[in-house]
Structure formats: C-alpha cells, structure tokens
Amino acid sequence: MQNQNDNGVRSAFLSENMRRRARYQLVFVLLAAAFVLITVLNINTGSVAIPVGEIFRILLGQAQDSPQYSIIWKIRLPRILMAALLGGGLSLSGFLLQTFFGNPIAGPFVLGISSGAKMVVALTMIYFLRFFSHVSSWALIVAAFAGSLMSVGFILLLSRKLKQMSILLVAGIMIGYICSAVTDFVVTFAEDADIVNLRGWSLGSFSGMSWDNVGVAAVMVGVTAAVTFAMAKPIGAYQLGEAYAQSMGVNIRAFRIALIVVSSLLSATVTAFAGPISFVGIAVPHLVKRALKTSKPLIVIPAVFLGGAVFCMGCDLIARTAFAPTELNISTVTSVFGAPVVIAMMLRRQGGKAA
Amino acid sequence: MSNFYFTTRQLTVGYDGVPLIHDITIDIARGEIVTLIGPNGSGKSTILKSITRQLRMIGGQVFIESEELRKLSYKDLSTRMAVVLTERMKPELMTCRDIVATGRYPYTGRLGILSAEDEIKVEAAMDAVHALELRNRDFNAISDGQRQRVLLARAICQEPEIIILDEPTSFLDIRHKLQLLSILRKMAKEKGITVIMSLHEIDLAQKISDKIICVKGDHIARSGPPEKVFDADAIRELYEIDQGSFDPLFGSIELPRPEGEPQALVLSACGTGIPVYRSLQKQGVPFVAGILYSNDIDCRLARVLAAEVIEERPFMPIGDDAFNRALHWIERLPRVINAGVEIGQTNARMAELIERAKDKS
C-alpha cells in the first residue's frame, strides 16, 4: 500500500515536471513567434510601405539599388536590432537588480540608475561636442557606466541606513529627479546645435541608429548577457537570501559586486544609445516569470532577454507609427504598457500579504 | 587538537567589531545535539551567525575537525555545514521541491542542473522530514510547520556533517515542535550529523540535547550535559525568573504561588492534589498541602505552589509531628479539600484526619 502510494506521488511529480517543461517550451515558442512577427511588421511599416515579399528579397541581399533597399538596410534594420538588443539588455538589468535587492519593483529606472547615466552622458556629450565634432559610442558607454555606478553607489550607501525597501525605492526616485534636473539644466543652456541631439535622446528614443552603434551595442549586451547566463547558478542561490546563498558556497562579496557591475553595464549601454527608458526593467521580468511560472534563472534569463526585445520592438513600432509622421518618445509608449503592469503587480503583492 | 568534531577556542563574537560575548570555548563530538539557551537578546543568534560565517568573528578560533573555519573556502564549508535560519525567505514562484533542491547546489555543475542522483537525494531528504506530499506546493503557501520541515530537508539534502539551526521551533505548534525535534534526534543518531541550535523552550532543550550552553551577558554562563546544567536555581538565574519556577526534573514551568495567609488545606495523595492545586492557584487562593510523602508526585508540585507543605518521609507511618501540624491547620482554616486519598497501612492516620475535617469540606 505504502509503495503504491509512493509510486502515485512519484508519477504525480514526474507529470508535474513534464507540465513545467511543456510550459517553458510554449512560452519560448510564443516569444520567438512574436519576435519574428514584430520584426516583419517593423520592417514593413513606415512612411514608405514595403511588401513582405520584397522585404525577404532585400534581406537576402537582392535588389541592392532600389531605394527600399537602403531604407531597410540603413534605417529600419539597425533600429530594429537596436530595439531588440537594448530592450533585452534593459530587461535583464531589471531582473538582476530585482535579484540583488530581493524586490520585484527594483529596476534601473526607479532606482535612478538610468537618470544617473543620462546625466553623465549629457555632460560628456556637451563637453565633447564643444571640442570635437564627434563622440564615440564607447566614450558614451563609459560615461553612462560611470553615471550608473554613481547612482548605484549612492543607493547602496543609503541601503545600509535604510533597511526598508520602499524607502530605498523612494530614495532612488529622488536621485532620478535630481539627475534629471541637472540634465535638463545643462540641456537648456547647451548650445543650439547640440540640443537637437540631446532633447530627443534625453527622453529616450531608438531613432538614428547606425550599424556602428549596433556593433558596439551587440558586443556590450552580448558579453554581459552571456556573463549573466553564466551566473545563473549563484543567482538561483541568491534568490533564497544572502545567508542561505553563502551557506551554499557562494562568495557573497564577489557575487554582489559582479551583479552590480553587470546590471550597471547593461543599463549604461542602453542609456548611452537610447536614453532612459522607463518600466521595461520591471514589467518584462514580471510578465515573463508569471508566464513561465518559475523564477529559475537558467530559464528566466534567456526568456527575459527575449521578452524585453519583443516588448521594446513592439513599443518602438508604436512610437514610430501611432502618430506618424510625428514620432513618440519610447518611454511614452513603454510607460503606457509598463506602468499598469507594475501597478497590477503591486496590488497583487499587497493582496497576497493581506490574505 | 582533540577528537572532537567541532571546537571553539576563546571565540569572541559581536557586531561591527564590537565584542558582545567573550571566551566561548566549546567542544562538540560528532553526532551530538548541542543547544544554546538564554534570554532574548542574549546573543544566541550572534554566536550562530559567527560560526556560520555570516558575521566576522572578532577573536579566537573555530575548528571543524582540525581545520580552522576561517581558512575554509565557502565552497568547502558548504559541503560540511548547512543552515536553517530564522529570517523569513520569500522566494518567488518556487515549489517546496525547488527549495529543497537548492541544497544540492554545492554538488551540481556550472549551470546547477540536477543529475538523476541529485533528484533521488532530494526525494530522500523530503521523505526524511515527511514532506513528500508538499512537493509541488508553492513554498509561500504552506504553514510554518511545513516550512520548517522543508527548510530542514533542504539542509539535509546538502549532505552536511553539521547542521546549524537558529530557533527552528519558533512559530510551531507543539505537534510540529515535537516532530521537528525527533527528526533531528533521529538524524543525529543514525547519520552522525552534528546539530547546533538555539531554542527558546528550555523544557525541550533539556530533553533533546546532549549538551546545553547557557548564554548570558557577555559570556557563557554554564555549559555541559543537561543533567548538570539544569538545576532550578541555574535556570532561575539565567533567565532572571522572578515569577514562577522551573522544575528541572520534569522540565515543567509553573506560575508563581498565590501570596498571603493560607485559606485552605488540601488533603491528597498520588497525584490527586495536582488539579486542585492548579485550580486554587488560578483563583489566587493560598493553601496548605498535606500530608504528603516526600516521594509523592503531589509533593513535588506542592513545594512550588503551596504556602506550606506538610511532608512525611516515604514508606513510614505518619508521625505525630506531621499529624499535629495537619490538625492545627484543620482547626484554623475555614476550608479543607479532600482531593482523594488512598488509604493503606502506612498512611492509616489520613483516614482520621479526613474524618476530623468532615464538617469543613
């Protein structure tokens, strides 16, 4: 009898395992399908409509001298790739910060990390453009990284005093406001020629991306995302809390530093190219984890990256086309979709606590 | 060193470099259960956090066998020591089995994927704490008792030589307390796993532990086997009990005796008096208990609850002394309660007392 019972429980477990695996596969297939669909839509739509058949011919390198060819290869494709790379990077950065702070509402935007990066990038741009005609992508990334670390450092300093996460988040939002104020100030007084560039960028946008930008972003995001994936195991341990992670053999000091550096690099890369983008870092990891019904980093990390890419490509499509020819800021669109998700998430958590 | 498994030498612990407890020197053999007791805030957790390396030690040394704790890498330590902590973890979307499986962390590869062997060990650990049926439940949706068992399974699954538990029985009801402690007992004896923990329940500490460590003020007040450590005065002193008492023999705790002039005499024997004493105590009525043989179970409780106990030496006929004292109280007191006395050859005079007290009951 006992044995039979055991077998029953065992097979229940095995079928649960199968169900889980099926769910993971379904989510990945859906995300991949959405990725392809949005990519095609993105290439297809714009002020010049290009039929789908034509798109595939062009992508395969045919019809090189048509104007459509250069629209796709010089404007739309780099922009799409950039939205995908940066969206994925931003979501991963959010996931890492949520792991670090043990709070699902943490993210590069709310903690003021994006704004810190924005401020230093704005200052760097103005300084460089005064003396040189050109700022390299790498210089901007370094500036954004410095700004990110500055904000993170400040948050970490505060987190020693402020044990309560909600207050820490408020502090992060305040840091964000201060940095934005400084940015607005320097942008207002910058020379006219610079402003055109800065205005659009400081509000967040994927427009005007070159293949050079794509290359640099691909290297940065690719390497850091790979490092994140390699850290999946300690991240899983860290989800149980610092003390447990340490008891499982994780070197907490080194791990925490790695986590902060990687997440700052990711959000710095995004900010350097596209400016601060709100809510993606919180909403996407949350939605992806809900869909997968797990928080296992090994599965969540690639899914979050893919989800972020799809989300940002979708938002960019809307930003480009909703009120064409006027283009919206990317943050306008991500906020419209992201903020309700965050509010729903908070309501859910609060409800869970009360029950 | 010696052949002890876990030893500390002049260990000093505290927070941020400020020493809290000095000169902790403990020797623990393999498979022993050692319990830290002491008042709230006495530093039990500080000691446990220091020997699990969550806190930096301020001075002294800790050895696991002959290796110094500080020189072990976190990874090496993780295959020897597992922990069950008080801090509430709120993992997101993890089943109980996922939680237990994290115990295999030190043994899995670069990406932490469980092998078939790991899976079997996870199952076995869950089975050992009777938690198999919780497998697919969300960890946040189970009760405190279940949670502690799952966390213990997680620790067992890590295949440690020593498990450190910080107040594992807090929040648990009595059934789950007993269940958890008997699992620990079994584990320690059968697998030779050493257990160090802190407990609030001194009665349980006494019953489960091979060694007790009393933490008080800035030092270890006492340590040793429970029979040595537990005497009524030591416990009273350790916890600064000024209300009530602790019986080291049974590990029972009692509220203080009612104060004032006695108002009733309780006649009883062989346990019949105990419910009467308790009821009088609750009503706040001071009473005299008698005539009790000093080996009577009533006598043990009467000593801490009654205003006066009329005692007689065991197995002797009731002497004049005790008899007259009882008569004296019967005359003086308005109430005499006969809780039921079995009359035999040696206590025949009790029948006479009961007769004399008839009009007062």
Side-chain angles (χ1 to χ4, degrees):
Chain A
M1 193 62 209
Q2 180 64 40
N3 216 342
Q4 226 171 20
N5 203 1
D6 265 11
N7 282 336
V9 174
R10 192 161 177 79
S11 69
F13 159 68
L14 287 176
S15 70
E16 169 69 20
N17 235 8
M18 299 255 284
R19 255 203 301 280
R20 277 190 181 191
R21 216 159 284 170
R23 178 177 272 276
Y24 302 156
Q25 281 162 359
L26 181 69
V27 170
F28 273 102
V29 167
L30 286 179
L31 280 176
F35 185 87
V36 172
L37 183 72
I38 290 180
T39 308
V40 171
L41 271 178
N42 241 326
I43 300 178
N44 182 251
T45 37
S47 48
V48 179
I50 306 168
V52 178
E54 185 77 10
I55 290 174
F56 282 106
R57 289 216 353 257
I58 290 173
L59 284 182
L60 293 172
Q62 291 162 352
Q64 298 208 357
D65 14 282
S66 66
Q68 283 93 333
Y69 182 88
S70 47
I71 289 177
I72 289 185
W73 278 99
K74 291 211 175 117
I75 300 172
R76 292 192 189 164
L77 211 50
R79 180 167 182 162
I80 293 160
L81 284 176
M82 210 57 172
L85 280 170
L86 299 185
L90 196 55
S91 306
L92 262 194
S93 169
F95 173 72
L96 293 176
L97 288 169
Q98 284 145 27
T99 307
F100 186 89
F101 288 103
N103 190 307
I105 304 172
F109 196 79
V110 281
L111 289 171
I113 299 170
S114 299
S115 308
K118 176 172 92 167
M119 183 180 75
V120 179
V121 171
L123 292 172
T124 312
M125 268 193 180
I126 289 172
Y127 178 81
F128 266 81
L129 289 175
R130 187 162 294 167
F131 300 103
F132 315 98
S133 59
H134 173 76
V135 193
S136 87
S137 303
W138 293 107
L140 291 183
I141 289 179
V142 170
F145 184 59
S148 301
L149 282 186
M150 195 183 71
S151 290
V152 172
F154 196 63
I155 289 282
L156 289 180
L157 217 63
L158 285 175
S159 73
R160 291 188 169 198
K161 298 263 176 221
L162 306 173
K163 291 288 168 216
Q164 222 181 329
M165 191 60 207
S166 50
I167 299 177
L168 198 62
L169 288 175
V170 173
I173 292 166
M174 293 305 128
I175 292 172
Y177 275 118
I178 294 170
C179 293
S180 293
V182 173
T183 314
D184 288 348
F185 183 82
V186 297
V187 168
T188 309
F189 287 98
E191 314 222 338
D192 288 328
D194 315 338
I195 294 179
V196 187
N197 277 328
L198 275 175
R199 271 269 154 78
W201 168 83
S202 75
L203 294 169
S205 167
F206 287 121
S207 70
M209 297 295 176
S210 69
W211 279 103
D212 272 355
N213 295 153
V214 174
V216 174
V219 170
M220 287 299 298
V221 174
V223 170
T224 38
V227 170
T228 308
F229 190 73
M231 280 164 66
K233 190 183 171 189
I235 288 173
Y238 200 83
Q239 283 171 337
L240 299 193
E242 215 167 278
Y244 278 109
Q246 185 189 301
S247 84
M248 288 181 234
V250 178
N251 185 336
I252 292 295
R253 263 168 175 280
F255 177 74
R256 282 175 65 105
I257 291 170
L259 210 58
I260 282 297
V261 168
V262 170
S263 63
S264 298
L265 271 177
L266 281 168
S267 68
T269 308
V270 176
T271 312
F273 289 113
I277 301 174
S278 53
F279 292 108
V280 177
I282 308 176
V284 172
H286 174 72
L287 290 175
V288 166
K289 277 188 268 184
R290 283 281 147 219
L292 290 167
K293 280 205 174 149
T294 184
S295 54
K296 261 187 202 138
L298 208 56
I299 294 144
V300 170
I301 289 170
V304 160
F305 190 87
L306 199 53
V310 170
F311 188 83
C312 278
M313 285 161 75
C315 287
D316 189 44
L317 180 65
I318 294 168
R320 252 176 359 105
T321 57
F323 297 98
T326 309
E327 210 173 278
L328 297 173
N329 300 314
I330 185 72
S331 274
T332 311
V333 185
T334 55
S335 300
V336 166
F337 290 103
V341 173
V342 176
I343 292 171
M345 182 169 90
M346 287 195 286
L347 282 176
R348 201 190 162 105
R349 268 167 65 81
Q350 219 50 43
K353 254 179 226 164
Chain B
M1 220 64 258
S2 52
N3 47 7
F4 285 111
Y5 174 70
F6 185 93
T7 47
T8 69
R9 288 286 168 266
Q10 281 92 44
L11 173 66
T12 300
V13 302
Y15 285 95
D16 300 325
V18 181
L20 204 65
I21 304 165
H22 300 278
D23 290 330
I24 306 165
T25 294
I26 315 173
D27 297 308
I28 299 170
R30 194 180 283 274
E32 271 189 328
I33 295 184
V34 179
T35 305
L36 272 61
I37 63 169
N40 282 337
S42 59
K44 302 188 291 286
S45 291
T46 315
I47 296 177
L48 293 182
K49 278 185 182 154
S50 300
I51 60 179
T52 53
R53 282 173 84 179
Q54 290 172 58
L55 280 181
R56 200 184 290 270
M57 297 175 223
I58 293 176
Q61 292 163 303
V62 175
F63 295 93
I64 292 184
E65 288 179 313
S66 58
E67 285 174 88
E68 209 197 324
L69 185 68
R70 254 183 287 206
K71 293 191 180 131
L72 282 170
S73 71
Y74 287 113
K75 192 170 177 346
D76 286 340
L77 185 62
S78 69
T79 58
R80 301 181 141 203
M81 182 189 277
V83 296
V84 175
L85 305 164
T86 38
E87 63 183 75
R88 288 291 196 97
M89 60 161 129
K90 274 221 147 224
E92 241 186 315
L93 299 167
M94 285 179 92
T95 64
C96 294
R97 195 174 191 284
D98 290 338
I99 296 284
V100 176
T102 62
R104 297 306 300 161
Y105 185 96
Y107 307 98
T108 54
R110 191 84 194 80
L111 290 177
I113 297 167
L114 298 186
S115 68
E117 196 194 340
D118 290 323
E119 300 276 6
I120 291 168
K121 283 178 175 162
V122 171
E123 293 288 294
M126 294 198 85
D127 195 26
V129 301
H130 320 296
L132 274 181
E133 73 283 0
L134 296 174
R135 260 202 204 98
N136 298 326
R137 296 272 298 279
D138 187 320
F139 183 73
N140 291 327
I142 60 175
S143 73
D144 289 326
Q146 292 169 331
R147 199 167 297 170
Q148 286 299 49
R149 275 188 287 150
V150 169
L151 289 178
L152 181 59
R154 198 202 71 81
I156 292 172
C157 192
Q158 206 171 323
E159 297 188 315
E161 294 164 352
I162 180 165
I163 296 186
I164 313 253
L165 306 96
D166 195 359
E167 285 172 18
T169 55
S170 308
F171 312 115
L172 300 194
D173 63 29
I174 184 70
R175 167 173 174 240
H176 291 111
K177 274 180 194 175
L178 294 175
Q179 195 177 35
L180 190 80
L181 292 180
S182 51
I183 293 167
L184 285 179
R185 182 87 255 174
K186 199 168 154 212
M187 198 179 72
K189 289 309 126 191
E190 286 176 5
K191 296 189 177 164
I193 296 176
T194 310
V195 175
I196 303 179
M197 64 180 160
S198 59
L199 282 182
H200 268 309
E201 300 85 351
I202 42 177
D203 47 337
L204 293 175
Q206 180 190 16
K207 283 154 201 168
I208 190 181
S209 315
D210 297 304
K211 224 171 241 164
I212 298 279
I213 294 164
C214 304
V215 187
K216 172 111 199 263
D218 63 353
H219 63 289
I220 300 294
R222 284 170 92 105
S223 69
E227 23 332 333
K228 268 197 184 159
V229 168
F230 277 89
D231 70 56
D233 287 338
I235 296 300
R236 187 187 295 272
E237 203 181 303
L238 178 65
Y239 286 93
E240 293 173 13
I241 301 174
D242 46 13
Q243 303 267 303
S245 59
F246 174 78
D247 182 339
L249 205 55
F250 290 109
S252 60
I253 40 178
E254 296 299 339
L255 290 168
R257 75 183 90 210
E259 295 294 329
E261 283 296 305
Q263 292 166 30
L265 172 67
V266 182
L267 299 175
S268 72
C270 311
T272 58
I274 290 174
V276 180
Y277 302 159
R278 294 213 193 283
S279 139
L280 288 172
Q281 180 201 35
K282 276 178 242 168
Q283 294 163 35
V285 179
F287 61 92
V288 178
I291 297 171
L292 296 170
Y293 285 114
S294 50
N295 64 339
D296 193 309
I297 187 149
D298 279 350
C299 188
R300 227 182 144 78
L301 185 64
R303 280 179 195 152
V304 291
L305 292 188
E308 186 181 322
V309 187
I310 310 165
E311 286 189 42
E312 186 52 85
R313 282 176 302 150
F315 313 115
M316 298 296 283
I318 290 173
D320 288 340
D321 251 13
F323 188 76
N324 290 333
R325 256 169 75 208
L327 269 187
H328 159 81
W329 283 116
I330 287 174
E331 276 157 26
R332 268 190 62 188
L333 293 176
R335 251 172 103 196
V336 176
I337 302 164
N338 178 9
V341 180
E342 188 148 341
I343 307 293
Q345 283 176 2
T346 54
N347 71 345
R349 292 179 87 180
M350 281 298 278
E352 194 181 328
L353 280 180
I354 290 165
E355 192 57 37
R356 295 280 272 276
K358 232 173 191 166
D359 51 331
K360 293 212 172 178
S361 52

